[in-house]
Amino acid sequence: MDTLTRFELRKIMRRKSFYAGIAILIAMILLMISTLVTGAWITGKDGKELKGIATFPLRKEYNRQLAGPLTVEKAADAVNRHYKLWHDPKNLNEKGEITEEAYAKYEVKDEQIDSLIRFAFSPIGEYNYYVINKLKPSDAQAFYEKRLEKVRGYLNMNYSYGNYSAEDMAFFIKMNENIPVPFQMNYVTGWENVFENLQYVFFFTAFVIALCLAPVFSGEYLSGADSIILSSRYGRNRVIVAKLKASFIVSLGLLVFALTTYTLLMLGICGFDGGNASVQMIEFMAPVSYTVFQTYLWAVFIGGLACLLVGALTLWLSSRMRSPFPVIIAIVIFLIGPMLLKESKSSRLFNHMMHLLPSNMIDSFNRVTSYEVYHIFGQLIPEYKVMAGFAIIVIALLLPLTYRAFNKHQVV
Amino acid sequence: MLELTLNQVSKHFSAKKAVNGISTRLTSGVYGLLGANGAGKTTLMRMICGILNPTSGEIQMNGQEISSMGEHYRDMLGYLPQDFGYYPDFSAEEFLWYVGSLKGLTLPAAKSKARELLRTVALSEVARKKIRTFSGGMKQRLGIAQAMLNDPRVLVLDEPTAGLDPKERVRFRNLIANLARDKIVILSTHIVSDVEYIADQILVMKQGGLLMTGTVEQLTTTMEGCVWSCHIPAREAEEWNARYCVSNLRHEGNQVELRIVSTVKPAHHALLVAPTLEDFYLHHFQDEQVAVTDEEKERA
């Protein structure tokens, strides 16, 4: 690393805003993890409700028993077990419902597979808890067909903002057909919890990046150091590159810090298992053929690019504004504003445009597993890939503009 | 041989003409920019440093337009702005290393030069202290040090003595005198005596234009026959002060001695005295903001 970049790094990292940003990130990560952990529950072996950290080993124990390929035979066995349970009078109470003891002894162990079966066999747009009660083991043979049927139904529904075209439908059906079956099952609660709050981790990281980068150029204008920088030999070229490099390093560092802390803490508490499971274990309708870990990597990639885009935008604003304060205000409005806007009920195009804003892009897990496709130059490209390309292009456009703004700055 | 040429240089901010058609030729030596607040000194210095583009006119270094010289010109330049930001979380030596790197020095060279300059400006003892703990004078000395890091051939100092105590000002004047050989040093100050001591040539600016250029002697010569001394009763001092441009007033019992700048003899008993640069300044800027004299500065 060159000397100027090291100094620029030092300037960013010695500011109070940097330490405040780290503190904000740690506090929010701890808050998000503690909310999820304390909110977790499962029916314990004694039939009593178990809450908090204690739920994870038990759920892991049950889900591991079902780990492996989700074959139709495995689904049929689950339907069979469920059928027997519900047809044995000693498991039922006077209202005809399953007793707590029976639930704790048998049903809770199949919660994961049962919920997938319920999802597959429920009518389109619904989740019918009791649908499994009406199934025979032989029905489970149609598990994957039912899922595809549901996908078709979802694609054929009427949407006020515009229906899927035949081309779109064929695209998503093909994507779904390309997903290897049987799905891989495993205990995925840890990863599920990671995905639950991932967008907020990105949100706060983007905010902290903006907080740290806002003074990179505008701070020089505000303090008057711009006179010295711009009149020095490297003040109109190398130092700008050094500032951009240092900003990128800080942004990347904050991202790695936030994601590593959040992911490792969450998985450390809830369990690391399940990275190799199909993402459909978490999002049953997901049209992508990724494992949970591959989906995590995509989500991190998209969310990370959204944060870097916020960083690039912050730097551009910083190069054009005379104080860091309006830069931070502008970024906060830019981050929060689109979140307050509801999706359009009349225009899918508007929604697509809105999704490209960082505040929507950070909801990366939902974007990777969603049914949105963009038509670009006759090609159909899934939304999450468009997002990645869009972010890279905008960053690539903003950086030279930032360079130019500082290079041409006049000290008035 | 260095030659900095200003050719009809102007800078307009909307309707305001901050600098208006200045032409001059500067060679090696110390040039003092003298003028009231708002005369355009800082704007002119910024244009010379290339951080503000002129609205019209051109600035050339050895015949070449400075804007086209880019890095090569900036490499010749040392600049102390009037008010500029220090990085409060940096120590003095770190700040100088950083500016040294900006000026193209390698880190070892920047460290060595920083050590030498910190000694020169008497900040060696506090080299590792954070700048936030520094007094105004210490910051100003650090500013002077950073301007000289690259051994500049053109040194532009905007109010370099502001915040310095008398001892520091003397040290600064000596420093500049030693540095000035083979360099163009342009400095502005409100403290007339500083310019008087340091500058080989004085550029007098008024309302964006160049009023006069010359040595201290040449400028003060123009005031010969215009500076008077007379004694009057103390009770009349206020009236005289309002009527004439009084450059000095000294009480002597129930009398006061007045030093008056006037083209006409103010009283029959008034005696002509030798003019100073301060008299010159007051004569030309009496209708504008009065320059801060040494005494006033020290009182402040």
Side-chain angles (χ1 to χ4, degrees):
Chain A
M1 195 190 301
D2 59 286
T3 313
L4 277 174
T5 307
R6 277 209 302 275
F7 277 116
E8 291 302 333
L9 261 178
R10 214 177 283 183
K11 275 159 74 179
I12 297 174
M13 293 172 69
R14 283 197 187 166
R15 285 198 190 100
K16 282 179 190 149
S17 56
F18 181 78
Y19 296 107
I22 297 282
I24 290 170
L25 277 182
I26 292 172
M28 295 320 294
I29 287 169
L30 291 178
L31 183 72
M32 285 186 277
I33 291 174
S34 64
T35 308
L36 270 177
V37 170
T38 52
W41 69 275
I42 191 172
T43 305
K45 288 182 176 172
D46 56 359
K48 288 183 182 151
E49 195 178 82
L50 214 56
K51 281 183 174 175
I53 290 184
T55 62
F56 302 115
L58 190 59
R59 192 173 292 283
K60 193 188 290 184
E61 181 190 325
Y62 294 153
N63 289 1
R64 270 184 176 172
Q65 288 169 11
L66 295 166
L70 173 53
T71 57
V72 288
E73 290 77 23
K74 194 182 266 184
D77 287 347
V79 172
N80 194 29
R81 285 196 295 276
H82 186 85
Y83 180 86
K84 282 182 180 168
L85 186 71
W86 281 75
H87 286 84
D88 186 344
K90 70 173 186 289
N91 293 329
L92 305 176
N93 60 22
E94 55 279 7
K95 289 180 190 168
E97 289 168 346
I98 199 160
T99 62
E100 281 179 0
E101 292 74 25
Y103 189 87
K105 201 170 175 186
Y106 308 109
E107 187 83 334
V108 69
K109 295 175 184 173
D110 280 342
E111 263 183 6
Q112 187 185 27
I113 193 165
D114 284 356
S115 77
L116 293 171
I117 293 167
R118 286 186 188 105
F119 221 113
F121 286 89
S122 289
I124 294 153
E126 284 179 35
Y127 179 79
N128 184 348
Y129 185 81
Y130 295 103
V131 75
I132 194 170
N133 295 5
K134 297 170 195 162
L135 297 179
K136 296 193 287 292
S138 58
D139 293 333
Q141 295 293 329
F143 177 78
Y144 289 106
E145 284 81 30
K146 280 285 179 188
R147 184 184 168 277
L148 264 180
E149 209 174 278
K150 214 162 172 180
V151 168
R152 284 194 195 93
Y154 176 78
L155 294 169
N156 274 307
M157 278 169 78
N158 283 321
Y159 298 94
S160 60
Y161 47 80
N163 295 339
Y164 290 99
S165 66
E167 206 182 359
D168 295 347
M169 284 195 270
F171 177 78
F172 282 119
I173 294 293
K174 195 172 176 204
M175 272 183 82
N176 273 284
E177 284 172 348
N178 286 340
I179 301 171
V181 288
F183 294 155
Q184 291 298 315
M185 287 188 77
N186 204 340
Y187 168 78
V188 290
T189 305
W191 290 102
E192 201 171 0
N193 284 347
V194 166
F195 289 130
E196 187 72 29
N197 278 331
L198 196 56
Q199 66 166 313
Y200 301 110
V201 174
F202 286 127
F203 176 83
F204 288 110
T205 308
F207 173 71
V208 171
I209 287 174
L211 197 67
C212 294
L213 301 192
V216 167
F217 294 104
S218 59
E220 311 286 18
Y221 304 152
L222 185 70
S223 70
D226 54 347
S227 298
I228 288 182
I229 293 172
L230 289 167
S231 62
S232 65
R233 181 178 173 183
Y234 294 146
R236 288 187 188 268
N237 39 45
R238 291 195 196 182
V239 80
I240 310 177
V241 175
K243 279 176 182 291
L244 296 178
K245 275 202 254 178
S247 302
F248 178 73
I249 292 167
V250 167
S251 305
L252 210 59
L254 286 168
L255 259 170
V256 170
F257 169 75
L259 284 169
T260 311
T261 309
Y262 172 72
T263 307
L264 291 182
L265 263 178
M266 188 68 95
L267 294 181
I269 294 167
C270 306
F272 284 84
D273 314 54
N276 59 345
S278 304
V279 71
Q280 285 72 19
M281 295 303 103
I282 295 171
E283 186 57 55
F284 188 59
M285 295 282 279
V288 288
S289 55
Y290 299 140
T291 63
V292 168
F293 185 65
Q294 285 169 332
T295 310
Y296 172 77
L297 291 181
W298 264 108
V300 164
F301 181 58
I302 307 288
L305 279 175
C307 291
L308 293 180
L309 176 53
V310 170
L313 191 67
T314 307
L315 287 173
W316 178 67
L317 289 173
S318 178
S319 70
R320 302 196 64 89
M321 292 181 169
R322 296 195 168 270
S323 154
F325 189 65
V327 177
I328 294 169
I329 298 289
I331 289 292
V332 167
I333 292 170
F334 179 72
L335 271 178
I336 296 177
M339 289 179 168
L340 304 175
L341 290 175
K342 285 183 180 169
E343 294 231 316
S344 168
K345 288 187 175 169
S346 57
S347 169
R348 190 183 281 270
L349 179 67
F350 175 79
N351 290 341
H352 278 176
M353 305 303 279
M354 291 295 288
H355 285 175
L356 293 178
L357 294 175
S359 43
N360 290 319
M361 216 185 278
I362 56 173
D363 188 11
S364 50
F365 174 71
N366 285 329
R367 303 271 78 93
V368 173
T369 56
S370 78
Y371 281 79
E372 293 297 341
V373 64
Y374 288 56
H375 296 246
I376 298 171
F377 303 121
Q379 297 287 312
L380 270 71
I381 308 172
E383 185 179 63
Y384 68 99
K385 289 185 178 171
V386 175
M387 282 177 166
F390 175 78
I392 291 167
I393 289 168
V394 176
I395 291 169
L397 286 173
L398 283 172
L399 294 183
L401 289 176
T402 306
Y403 183 99
R404 193 182 146 80
F406 191 74
N407 177 275
K408 301 282 175 202
H409 176 71
Q410 298 281 298
V411 181
V412 180
Chain B
M1 175 73 175
L2 288 174
E3 187 181 87
L4 186 69
T5 314
L6 280 72
N7 187 15
Q8 286 298 311
V9 175
S10 297
K11 183 69 194 180
H12 301 169
F13 297 108
S14 301
K16 187 182 181 329
K17 292 176 179 174
V19 171
N20 195 17
I22 287 187
S23 295
T24 190
R25 197 174 69 86
L26 312 178
T27 53
S28 302
V30 181
Y31 295 85
L33 269 182
L34 199 59
N37 279 342
K41 304 187 295 292
T42 296
T43 304
L44 183 66
M45 287 182 146
R46 283 174 179 168
M47 289 192 286
I48 289 170
C49 291
I51 57 173
L52 185 65
N53 292 337
T55 308
S56 61
E58 54 183 13
I59 302 171
Q60 294 178 336
M61 167 56 73
N62 292 339
Q64 203 178 344
E65 179 73 31
I66 61 165
S67 58
S68 67
M69 292 173 72
E71 203 178 278
H72 182 59
Y73 176 68
R74 294 197 298 274
D75 195 26
M76 302 167 83
L77 203 62
Y79 178 40
L80 170 69
Q82 193 172 357
D83 295 305
F84 79 98
Y86 299 82
Y87 305 114
D89 297 316
F90 272 37
S91 66
E93 62 180 13
E94 272 178 320
F95 177 72
L96 291 184
W97 300 343
Y98 171 62
V99 179
S101 304
L102 279 174
K103 289 174 182 256
L105 271 63
T106 61
L107 193 56
K111 285 184 176 182
S112 159
K113 191 74 184 170
R115 204 176 307 122
E116 177 194 322
L117 284 167
L118 283 169
R119 208 167 33 241
T120 307
V121 297
L123 288 175
S124 296
E125 299 284 305
V126 291
R128 291 189 179 169
K129 289 210 166 153
K130 294 268 191 281
I131 302 177
R132 72 158 56 119
T133 62
F134 281 20
S135 67
M138 289 161 88
K139 284 180 189 167
Q140 193 67 1
R141 280 185 275 155
L142 185 61
I144 293 164
Q146 69 76 27
M148 297 195 284
L149 265 170
N150 57 331
D151 196 15
R153 303 192 69 196
V154 179
L155 185 58
V156 182
L157 306 163
D158 198 354
E159 301 282 355
T161 51
L164 300 186
D165 62 32
K167 191 176 144 202
E168 286 165 346
R169 271 167 42 212
V170 170
R171 195 207 311 258
F172 169 76
R173 291 201 298 244
N174 295 337
L175 179 70
I176 294 297
N178 287 332
L179 271 172
R181 251 170 296 147
D182 304 326
K183 284 184 175 59
I184 297 175
V185 180
I186 306 166
L187 59 94
S188 75
T189 174
H190 276 107
I191 302 169
V192 177
S193 67
D194 280 348
V195 187
E196 207 164 11
Y197 279 112
I198 310 170
D200 302 322
Q201 288 277 318
I202 294 170
L203 311 176
V204 185
M205 285 189 74
K206 190 172 183 180
Q207 292 167 355
L210 208 51
L211 185 72
M212 216 176 280
T213 307
T215 61
V216 175
E217 290 72 31
Q218 284 167 339
L219 296 181
T220 51
T221 303
T222 64
M223 294 300 295
E224 270 174 13
C226 298
V227 186
W228 309 86
S229 174
C230 62
H231 287 82
I232 58 159
R235 62 178 186 281
E236 293 174 20
E238 209 168 303
E239 186 194 330
W240 281 69
N241 213 357
R243 200 188 314 158
Y244 295 103
C245 174
V246 177
S247 68
N248 197 34
L249 185 151
R250 192 156 56 91
H251 284 268
E252 290 174 354
N254 55 1
Q255 292 266 301
V256 288
E257 186 195 6
L258 294 181
R259 186 181 175 89
I260 296 171
V261 182
S262 170
T263 49
V264 293
K265 192 175 184 180
H268 70 277
H269 62 283
L271 299 172
L272 270 174
V273 289
T276 64
L277 191 62
E278 200 165 88
D279 299 320
F280 169 88
Y281 186 94
L282 282 174
H283 177 69
H284 289 285
F285 296 98
Q286 60 182 316
D287 50 339
E288 299 188 26
Q289 188 177 333
V290 176
V292 181
T293 62
D294 288 5
E295 290 74 17
E296 282 169 334
K297 195 79 185 175
E298 277 158 31
R299 272 204 300 273

